[in-house]
Amino acid sequence: CGIRGGKMLDFFTIFSKGGIVLWCFQGAGVTESFTGPVNALIRSVILQERSGNNSYTHEALSLKYKLDNEFELIFVVGFQKILTLTYVDKFIDDIQLHFRDRYKNDLEQKGALKLIQNNFDFDDDFKMLLREAEESSKARSHATMRTFKESEKSQKTVKSMIETKGGEKVKEPGGKKNKNTKKEGNHSKSPKPQKPKEKQMRVWDMGGSSTKEYAIVTKNLACLALRFTMNHCLALFVDFSSKKAGGFGGMFGMLKGLVGSKSLTREDMESVLEKMREHLIAKNVAADISSQLCDSVAKKLEGKVMGTFTTVASTVKQALQDSLVQILQPKRRVDILRDVMEAQSQRRPFVITFCGVNGVGKSTNLAKISFWLIENGFTVLIAACDTFRAGAVEQLRTHQRRLNSLHPPQQHGGRPVVQLYEKGYGKDAAGIAMEAIAYARNQAFDVVLVDTAGRMQDNAPLMTALAKLIAVNMPDLVLFVGEALVGNEAVDQLVKFNQALADHSMSDKPRLIDGIVLTKFDTIDDKVGAAISMTYITGQPIVFVGTGQTYNDLRSLNARAVVSALMKA
């Protein structure tokens, strides 16, 4: 690491997207390594395509980061969360520009070995920029407000604020308005369109500049015109060839602005991203998530150098597609069969709790997962912990009978493969779940599936009861069951379910939602946006997808197929 110093910042590090640390700084008195917070940032934000917001919180630290897409670099600064450092955003921009300018030749040499061999001695530059940033921040904070007498407004009189045609300041005699003057003034007013012309003339007026300066401006304008003409011709060529090949189609067909070997800016992508955002909302992605995704793509592409024959639309579309696939592919794999076998080796049942709002299909999909587990050779105990809804216990008993008829006890040594543990209605759900788990351990059941009552995310008493059930019984897996039909509501449901579990947990590290079961997936055609919204909010995978009304209609999610449907015009 580099220098030690600085009273406010805990650390600052610059590393490549390949993971090579080029330079770092650690604050005076900071003993803890910054690898933990930086690794958390990489795992939770950069790898998960969540870089729309440039800040991240890890325990007691606030992290600010900036991506440099041209040289594939990441700049990260960390400081205590309780501090309000107003200069950090500008400071990290200054560091990026200074580092790029100083080591441009070294950074242009591609390859990890080249970066490792280079010595980036950035200590003195960092000290200087940090000192400047802190001093400018202090100067701003100590600036005193001007008194009214010191301000420009105090110098103005009422008469000076009255303006008539020609810019002359006049006052009507006796303070009365002359109707004739008013009419004449209206007819003789200069038309409004002429004002912008005056401004344009001021812009192009060189203010008495020399002939040489004028020639430079003329030359630049000529180059700009030539470049525009060439790009326009290339655009016509690409447009003609794409039409012959069948075109791009849909929302991307009209977005073919060429960028001719230059760095992409936010302005270049703005119109494409707006179309992209509207397209995602139309496909049932929550509006907030759509905006965050587009911001993330913009940050990912900003500064990237484009090829001559590459369109902005195709580049943005490909980047968004890659981001969506990355989001849907879980950062951790949920392998229920492997986990059940591991629990078997420990002589205990594997416990799965199902939760969600009313009417999404918790009991039905619990029965489908029971069938899937039985097909894989496991025995299942269903705990009827929905003691609120009339008919909930009878529904589970019907599923138990049907599943046992599909797998008769005679084929399994005379023992039913599915049993129902129920205590009727009006009882404490957490207590029933605890008894069911103890019964399953004694009777050597492989899996316990806990069915809970449907509850709206705003119902505080029921959310507290769910948090208690999970905190007391500590299930191996908490699955949120949600509909594929919802849009913005999916975000609200998941955020509040997770918040309730965190608020009412008795542990320092509360159990939150571990995975998602997405139901009614066969009813939505290509409006698959709910899958993106739910996964983006929780960061947890979609474990199962319900695709029909029979026990076999349970599938794992194919991320690429979902993204293909989502991007289809």
Side-chain angles (χ1 to χ4, degrees):
C1 248
I3 57 175
R4 284 184 174 272
K7 297 176 182 177
M8 297 292 192
L9 303 184
D10 280 40
F11 70 86
F12 196 111
T13 180
I14 304 169
F15 56 95
S16 71
K17 286 189 178 178
I20 300 167
V21 178
L22 307 184
W23 180 87
C24 64
F25 144 83
Q26 199 156 1
V30 179
T31 54
E32 292 183 9
S33 170
F34 59 80
T35 53
V38 173
N39 283 333
L41 170 72
I42 292 168
R43 281 195 304 270
S44 303
V45 178
I46 295 165
L47 292 179
Q48 292 295 308
E49 302 290 347
R50 297 165 190 269
S51 51
N53 188 2
N54 69 337
S55 59
Y56 174 69
T57 303
H58 178 77
E59 296 175 356
L61 287 178
S62 281
L63 275 65
K64 294 267 187 180
Y65 61 93
K66 187 170 180 66
L67 306 180
D68 187 316
N69 295 305
E70 185 178 350
F71 294 118
E72 302 286 312
L73 300 178
I74 302 170
F75 298 77
V76 182
V77 60
F79 53 93
Q80 291 297 314
K81 194 163 56 175
I82 57 170
L83 299 176
T84 305
L85 304 183
T86 55
Y87 63 84
V88 167
D89 289 321
K90 184 180 182 305
F91 176 60
I92 201 168
D93 289 342
D94 292 343
I95 290 285
Q96 181 209 10
L97 293 172
H98 207 83
F99 191 84
R100 278 169 51 106
D101 292 345
R102 179 166 176 181
Y103 298 109
K104 187 175 182 180
N105 294 333
D106 297 325
L107 295 170
E108 282 174 345
Q109 297 175 8
K110 300 295 181 185
L113 191 59
K114 298 278 187 186
L115 289 176
I116 293 169
Q117 289 172 346
N118 283 328
N119 180 28
F120 297 95
D121 186 12
F122 196 61
D123 295 358
D124 294 337
D125 303 74
F126 181 82
K127 280 181 184 175
M128 178 193 72
L129 291 169
L130 180 59
R131 190 165 54 249
E132 287 175 2
E134 288 178 342
E135 285 172 359
S136 69
S137 176
K138 283 177 186 174
R140 281 199 302 272
S141 63
H142 292 310
T144 55
M145 290 181 66
R146 291 180 299 172
T147 63
F148 179 72
K149 287 184 178 179
E150 293 171 340
S151 68
E152 291 180 9
K153 279 191 177 181
S154 66
Q155 311 302 323
K156 291 183 179 180
T157 62
V158 176
K159 183 178 178 181
S160 69
M161 295 184 205
I162 300 171
E163 188 171 338
T164 61
K165 60 170 185 170
E168 295 173 2
K169 307 285 189 301
V170 297
K171 189 176 180 182
E172 293 292 340
K176 292 182 181 179
K177 291 181 182 177
N178 190 328
K179 291 182 180 179
N180 296 329
T181 309
K182 185 179 178 183
K183 285 180 182 178
E184 287 170 11
N186 284 344
H187 287 297
S188 61
K189 268 186 185 174
S190 302
K192 287 184 181 178
Q194 287 184 4
K195 287 185 180 178
K197 286 185 180 177
E198 288 176 8
K199 288 182 181 177
Q200 286 176 5
M201 289 301 291
R202 288 194 199 107
V203 170
W204 293 112
D205 182 13
M206 303 307 291
S209 61
S210 65
T211 311
K212 185 180 177 183
E213 288 172 337
Y214 180 75
I216 291 168
V217 173
T218 309
K219 184 181 174 184
N220 289 339
L221 287 172
C223 291
L224 187 66
L226 179 62
R227 182 174 164 191
F228 173 77
T229 307
M230 289 179 70
N231 277 348
H232 187 63
C233 293
L234 288 170
L236 288 174
F237 168 73
V238 172
D239 190 40
F240 175 72
S241 58
S242 64
K243 278 179 183 173
K244 285 187 73 175
F248 288 85
M251 68 164 181
F252 303 105
M254 57 190 290
L255 306 165
K256 296 187 175 67
L258 288 190
V259 294
S261 297
K262 75 179 187 73
S263 295
L264 266 180
T265 64
R266 187 64 181 250
E267 288 72 27
D268 294 331
M269 298 180 279
E270 203 63 54
S271 60
V272 184
L273 288 169
E274 185 56 34
K275 291 281 180 187
M276 208 79 82
R277 195 181 79 84
E278 290 171 5
H279 177 78
L280 291 173
I281 292 171
K283 293 283 186 173
N284 226 15
V285 179
D288 287 348
I289 305 299
S290 301
S291 299
Q292 289 174 39
L293 278 168
C294 289
D295 287 344
S296 179
V297 168
K299 288 207 171 183
K300 185 178 177 182
L301 292 177
E302 202 169 351
K304 186 175 180 181
V305 178
M306 304 286 296
T308 305
F309 287 95
T310 310
T311 63
V312 176
S314 60
T315 305
V316 173
K317 182 182 179 184
Q318 187 58 51
L320 181 62
Q321 199 161 322
D322 294 343
S323 296
L324 292 172
V325 171
Q326 188 68 40
I327 288 165
L328 286 175
Q329 287 176 339
K331 58 184 176 183
R332 67 178 188 85
R333 182 175 172 80
V334 177
D335 191 336
I336 293 176
L337 299 180
R338 183 197 62 194
D339 293 343
V340 171
M341 287 189 281
E342 190 179 330
Q344 274 182 327
S345 67
Q346 298 170 8
R347 298 181 179 278
R348 66 175 184 85
F350 185 79
V351 182
I352 304 175
T353 298
F354 295 80
C355 62
V357 300
N358 309 75
V360 293
K362 286 184 298 300
S363 303
T364 305
N365 283 276
L366 181 147
K368 290 180 185 180
I369 292 171
S370 298
F371 179 74
W372 175 72
L373 289 165
I374 295 162
E375 290 281 306
N376 283 282
F378 298 115
T379 54
V380 177
L381 179 69
I382 300 174
C385 295
D386 183 354
T387 62
F388 185 74
R389 176 172 64 91
V393 175
E394 287 74 17
Q395 182 184 5
L396 291 175
R397 188 175 286 117
T398 302
H399 282 306
Q400 178 215 0
R401 280 202 305 268
R402 287 184 176 176
L403 290 168
N404 280 324
S405 66
L406 292 170
H407 286 269
Q410 295 81 8
Q411 297 176 5
H412 299 273
R415 180 186 176 184
V417 288
V418 184
Q419 284 190 34
L420 177 67
Y421 190 91
E422 54 95 4
K423 292 289 183 180
Y425 296 97
K427 306 289 193 310
D428 178 38
I432 296 173
M434 185 180 284
E435 291 173 21
I437 293 166
Y439 179 80
R441 186 181 287 109
N442 294 333
Q443 298 297 317
F445 279 94
D446 299 319
V447 185
V448 179
L449 301 180
V450 180
D451 185 35
T452 63
R455 62 204 77 210
M456 294 308 293
Q457 64 269 25
D458 297 316
N459 190 325
L462 287 178
M463 292 306 294
T464 307
L466 176 65
K468 176 190 169 186
L469 185 149
I470 291 170
V472 167
N473 295 290
M474 290 303 291
D476 297 285
L477 199 63
V478 179
L479 293 180
F480 178 85
V481 184
E483 284 182 323
L485 302 165
V486 295
N488 290 321
E489 185 69 7
V491 176
D492 192 48
Q493 288 173 8
L494 279 162
V495 167
K496 288 187 177 173
F497 263 80
N498 261 338
Q499 192 62 50
L501 295 180
D503 289 346
H504 300 105
S505 174
M506 293 172 283
S507 169
D508 292 336
K509 293 185 177 179
R511 282 299 306 279
L512 304 178
I513 290 164
D514 299 312
I516 299 162
V517 178
L518 204 55
T519 66
K520 307 177 186 178
F521 209 69
D522 54 319
T523 64
I524 55 169
D525 192 28
D526 61 351
K527 289 184 169 53
V528 293
I532 297 291
S533 300
M534 290 183 175
T535 314
Y536 192 90
I537 281 295
T538 58
Q540 301 300 346
I542 293 173
V543 183
F544 293 111
V545 174
T547 58
Q549 299 183 27
T550 69
Y551 291 132
N552 284 313
D553 293 327
L554 194 70
R555 301 283 183 271
S556 58
L557 187 77
N558 184 335
R560 294 198 177 274
V562 169
V563 171
S564 177
L566 194 64
M567 299 302 286
K568 190 169 67 178

